[in-house]
Amino acid sequence: MSAAVAWDLAPTSTRPQLRLVPTGDAVVCRPAPRVRLTRRGRLTITLSVLALVTWVAFLLAPGPSVQGLTIDHAVTVSAGQSLSEVADAQLPQLPVTDAMARIQQANNLSSDQVHAGQSLLIPRVG
């Protein structure tokens, strides 16, 4: 057997063929191919929408509310006075810790620190 037969190295006479492309009114508009999402694409879109919905829900959620508290009056803190002293003087019918907690809740205080001249709302008890 010769090398030409074994490897089929016979010359080919096929050349690339030219195709006619329509122009003008003969052009047919085909709809755009559908977008096919991969699993990663679907996961990305799902997580993005979930993050957006969570963010919007967080923004629209009402802030902490003072439920069940009715404000009775306001008091101004004197120099050297602590929150426990204010609570004991203004709400004597409650234990000091409970009175402090109610005053903190009514005034949105994150700690028991108060300063002179600060106005505190005193909730109604009962």
Side-chain angles (χ1 to χ4, degrees):
M1 256 182 159
S2 71
V5 174
W7 292 97
D8 195 24
L9 296 177
T12 58
S13 63
T14 60
R15 294 176 50 187
Q17 299 295 319
L18 297 177
R19 293 179 40 186
L20 294 176
V21 179
T23 59
D25 293 334
V27 176
V28 177
C29 291
R30 293 184 185 149
R34 285 187 34 198
V35 176
R36 298 193 61 164
L37 291 177
T38 62
R39 184 176 182 187
R40 181 181 292 169
R42 287 189 304 269
L43 179 64
T44 302
I45 289 173
T46 302
L47 291 178
S48 299
V49 169
L50 182 63
L52 180 68
V53 168
T54 303
W55 181 69
V56 168
F58 179 75
L59 289 179
L60 295 179
S65 62
V66 182
Q67 297 176 350
L69 292 180
T70 305
I71 304 303
D72 188 32
H73 61 282
V75 170
T76 303
V77 179
S78 303
Q81 198 174 23
S82 66
L83 182 61
S84 60
E85 292 172 345
V86 173
D88 188 37
Q90 297 299 318
L91 301 171
Q93 65 275 27
L94 293 176
V96 176
T97 55
D98 291 344
M100 285 176 57
R102 287 189 184 203
I103 292 173
Q104 283 178 318
Q105 186 178 12
N107 292 282
N108 293 326
L109 298 176
S110 58
S111 71
D112 60 351
Q113 300 296 317
V114 292
H115 54 79
Q118 183 176 0
S119 181
L120 295 175
L121 301 174
I122 306 299
R124 184 178 313 231
V125 178

